[in-house]
Every structure is written in C-alpha cells, then in structure tokens.
C-alpha cells in the first residue's frame, strides 16, 4: 500500500470521499481491479518513486500519474510491511482465486467426499488470504497458523456435512424447499467457518493489540479495543461478501435448470454456473469490501486509558488515531 512509502507529507487516502459508502465502493473497485494483477516489479518501483516524490513535497498536487501509482501500490503491497502480497491472495485476484472453489462448493449432489474436498479447498484459500492481508502487528507462529487452519477446516466441514445430512430428513417442508435449503448449505458452512477463520487467524491481535498511528503515520501505541473492532468488522464483512456470492448463484441456477438449462449437458451447466458466479462476485465485491473502511480513525477516548495524553511529533495532543483493519 502507498502508505508504506516513507515520507513526511501525509498521503490522501483516496481520490474518492471515503467518509461515504459510495466513495468507498469506488475505492474498493479500484483495489479489486483485476487488471492490477498485471503490475510488475518495475511498475511497483516506479509507483514508489512517484508516491515518494509526493511525500517529499516535490509533487505539489496529486496527478493522474500519482493516482495510478497509488492504485498499483494499494492493490498490491501490504500496508504494514511494504512487501508485495503474493498474487493469488491479493484483493485484485479475489474473484479469480475464488471462482473455481465457489463453483465446486455450489455443485449439486457432491456427496460427502466432494463436500469435504471443496470445503477444505475454500478454507485453505481463506487462511492464505487472511494471513496475507491481516494486520501485521503480531504475526502468527507456524504452530498457531496450523492449529487455526485445522480448526477452520474442521468447522466448515462439520457444518457442511452436518447440514447435508439434516436437510433430507426434514419432514415438514416441501421437496422444493428442501432443494433450495440443500443448495444453501455451502453458504451456511462458508459463513460460519469464515467467522471462525478470521477470529482464529487474528486472535493474537485481540490478545495483544494492534498498532495505532497519529495523523502523521507515527505509531503511538497498541490497542486491544481497536483490534477487537478491526477483527469483528473483518469477520462481518466476510459474511456480507459471502452472502450474494453463495446465495444468488445457487438460487438463480435452480431457476435456470428448470428453464433454459433443462436437459443441457454438464459442461454447459458448469459454464452457466461459472458465468453467474463471476458476474455476481465482480458486482458484489466492492460493495461488500466498502461496508467498513480498511484504514480507520477512532477517538483516543474510546480506547485504552494509557493512550490518552499522547503528543505527535509537533507537540500537538493526539485526539484521534488510525489503524489498518486488514481485509
């Protein structure tokens, strides 16, 4: 992220107004822009130079080149470490990385083995994305990472297999309702395991606190309250993000399979499923990511008492601090 580039001049957060939901939607659409996957190391080096010239005051006002450079950094570089996020786990790769996993989970009639495989694949991807994009104030050890990974996979597989066995036994609902409920089992598994996944993967942040910064980007301390807010909002945003992607396609496909897809071959049905999932994901992702700002401000008086009375580098009292929520 552009904020990882050193300099004394604060960066504008975005070309859009992030205090509004629509402004955040437009900003998140840029971060999730799949064309950013074409960004090379040479592009990033140039982008850092452009942003650095702004932070040093050499560039007086943001230009189109500046906004392009900031977009490349924001979509590719981790804001805490300044390191390039591995390509499949960037937000710009979110839809493409999840496409086949989501299609696999939503495939009807998987059976227990198929359900277990696709839930494992989904949680493996989620763990990787969470680890790559989380706040880096307290990195997890390898042992913690493996334990949390095992817990997330167990939760998702348990919910999916349990519901798959429960739905056919429901006696007081129609066959049509059972069909729809069966198609929504992956959604229940993804949401429940997603929440478990986020809280497990980022438990150290809640226990130890995350770094909070003044308006100049200088760290003033660590806050457990800010960490709880950051992790809670991230878990909720994952639920919001999963809802349209895991609910709209299966319900739409039930209708399509009774209409224009009736009697069609498996490849055609899979192509239709991939198309519906892709369109839904691209449309929904910016709206889900924008529900909560990634880089947030909070009043110091809402945090721990020991953070009160801090001063910035100019001797001014710090009344508001900022933190990276993570994605």
């Amino acid at each position: 992220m552009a904020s990882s580039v050193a300099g004394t001049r604060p960066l504008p957060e975005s070309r859009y107004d992030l205090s509004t939901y629509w402004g955040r939607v437009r900003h998140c659409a840029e971060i999730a822009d799949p064309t950013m996957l074409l960004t090379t190391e040479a592009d990033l080096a140039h982008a850092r130079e452009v942003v650095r010239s702004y932070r040093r005051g050499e560039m007086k006002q943001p230009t189109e080149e500046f906004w392009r450079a900031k977009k490349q950094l924001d979509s590719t570089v981790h804001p805490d470490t300044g390191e390039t996020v591995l390509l499949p786990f960037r937000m710009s790769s979110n839809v493409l990385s999840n496409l086949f996993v989501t299609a696999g989970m939503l495939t009807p009639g998987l059976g227990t083995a198929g359900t277990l495989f696709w839930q494992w694949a989904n949680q493996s991807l989620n763990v990787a994305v969470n680890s790559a994009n989380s706040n880096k104030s307290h990195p997890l050890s390898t042992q913690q990472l493996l334990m949390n990974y095992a817990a997330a996979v167990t939760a998702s597989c348990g919910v999916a297999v349990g519901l798959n066995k429960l739905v056919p036994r429901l006696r007081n609902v129609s066959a049509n309702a059972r069909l729809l409920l069966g198609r929504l089992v992956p959604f229940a598994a993804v949401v429940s395991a997603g929440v478990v996944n986020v809280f497990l993967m980022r438990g150290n942040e809640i226990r130890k606190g995350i770094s909070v910064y003044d308006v100049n980007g200088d760290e003033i301390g660590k806050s457990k309250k800010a960490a709880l807010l950051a992790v809670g909002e991230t878990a909720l945003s994952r639920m919001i993000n999963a809802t349209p992607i895991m609910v709209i396609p299966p319900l739409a496909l039930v209708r399509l399979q009774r209409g224009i897809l009736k009697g069609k071959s498996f490849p055609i049905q899979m192509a239709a499923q991939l198309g519906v999932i892709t369109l839904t994901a691209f449309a929904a992702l910016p709206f889900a990511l924008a529900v909560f700002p990634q880089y947030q401000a909070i009043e110091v008086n809402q945090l721990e008492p020991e953070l009160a009375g801090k001063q910035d580098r100019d001797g001014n009292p710090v009344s508001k601090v900022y933190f990276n929520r993570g994605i």
Side-chain angles (χ1 to χ4, degrees), residues 103-116 118 164 168 178-179 181-186 250 254 257 266 269-270 273:
M105 288 189 294
L106 295 179
T107 301
L110 282 175
T112 300
T115 298
L116 290 174
W118 286 112
N164 274 334
R178 280 200 298 273
L179 173 64
L181 288 173
R183 293 293 181 91
L184 294 177
V185 165
V254 167
Q257 286 164 349
F266 178 76
Q269 297 209 23
M270 278 303 299
Q273 179 164 307

Side-chain angles (χ1 to χ4, degrees), residues 105 115 119 122-123 126 152-153 155-161 163-164 184-196 242 246:
M105 288 189 294
T115 298
Q119 289 297 328
N122 183 58
Q123 288 310 314
N126 284 347
V153 171
S156 65
C157 291
V159 170
V161 172
L163 290 178
N164 274 334
L184 294 177
V185 165
F187 166 67
V190 166
V191 167
S192 57
V195 172
V196 171
M246 300 299 294

Side-chain angles (χ1 to χ4, degrees), residues 83-321:
E83 297 176 357
T84 302
V85 177
L86 193 63
L87 189 147
F89 311 136
R90 301 173 194 167
M91 283 300 104
S92 52
S93 182
N94 184 277
V95 172
L96 299 177
S97 296
N98 281 280
L99 178 58
F100 290 101
V101 173
T102 303
M105 288 189 294
L106 295 179
T107 301
L110 282 175
T112 300
T115 298
L116 290 174
F117 173 80
W118 286 112
Q119 289 297 328
W120 164 79
N122 183 58
Q123 288 310 314
S124 297
L125 180 59
N126 284 347
V127 166
V129 171
N130 286 345
S131 179
N133 293 283
S134 66
N135 186 292
K136 298 298 184 181
S137 298
H138 299 290
L140 291 175
S141 67
T142 301
Q143 182 179 6
Q144 290 172 315
L145 186 64
L146 291 174
M147 289 177 62
N148 294 346
Y149 169 60
V153 171
T154 300
S156 65
C157 291
V159 170
V161 172
L163 290 178
N164 274 334
K165 292 184 179 297
L166 175 64
V167 169
R169 298 178 182 176
L170 297 176
R171 302 301 179 194
N172 297 323
V173 297
S174 65
N176 187 53
R178 280 200 298 273
L179 173 64
L180 293 177
L181 288 173
R183 293 293 181 91
L184 294 177
V185 165
F187 166 67
V190 166
V191 167
S192 57
V195 172
V196 171
N197 193 321
V198 171
F199 276 93
L200 286 174
M201 292 297 296
R202 299 180 61 179
N204 269 357
E205 297 174 31
I206 297 174
R207 289 187 290 272
K208 299 179 181 180
I210 59 174
S211 299
V212 292
Y213 305 88
D214 64 20
V215 70
N216 298 313
D218 298 326
E219 182 176 346
I220 69 163
K222 297 229 175 357
S223 171
K224 296 179 182 179
K225 291 184 178 180
L228 183 60
L229 177 64
V231 176
E233 287 183 352
T234 300
L236 186 55
S237 72
R238 292 297 172 84
M239 295 172 62
I240 295 169
N241 187 33
T243 300
I245 297 170
M246 300 299 294
V247 171
I248 294 175
L251 297 184
L253 285 165
V254 167
R255 196 168 192 87
L256 290 172
Q257 286 164 349
R258 291 172 176 168
I260 60 175
L261 291 180
K262 188 174 183 179
K264 300 295 183 183
S265 65
F266 178 76
I268 291 176
Q269 297 209 23
M270 278 303 299
Q273 179 164 307
L274 288 173
V276 173
I277 293 171
T278 301
L279 290 174
T280 305
F282 273 118
L285 182 61
F287 290 90
L289 292 177
V291 172
F292 303 109
Q294 181 183 353
Y295 199 66
Q296 294 192 33
I298 188 170
E299 298 292 333
V300 171
N301 58 19
Q302 297 180 36
L303 302 178
E304 289 81 352
E306 56 266 27
L307 294 175
K310 299 280 188 176
Q311 294 183 335
D312 64 19
R313 65 176 73 155
D314 300 317
N316 300 315
V318 176
S319 60
K320 185 180 290 186
V321 294

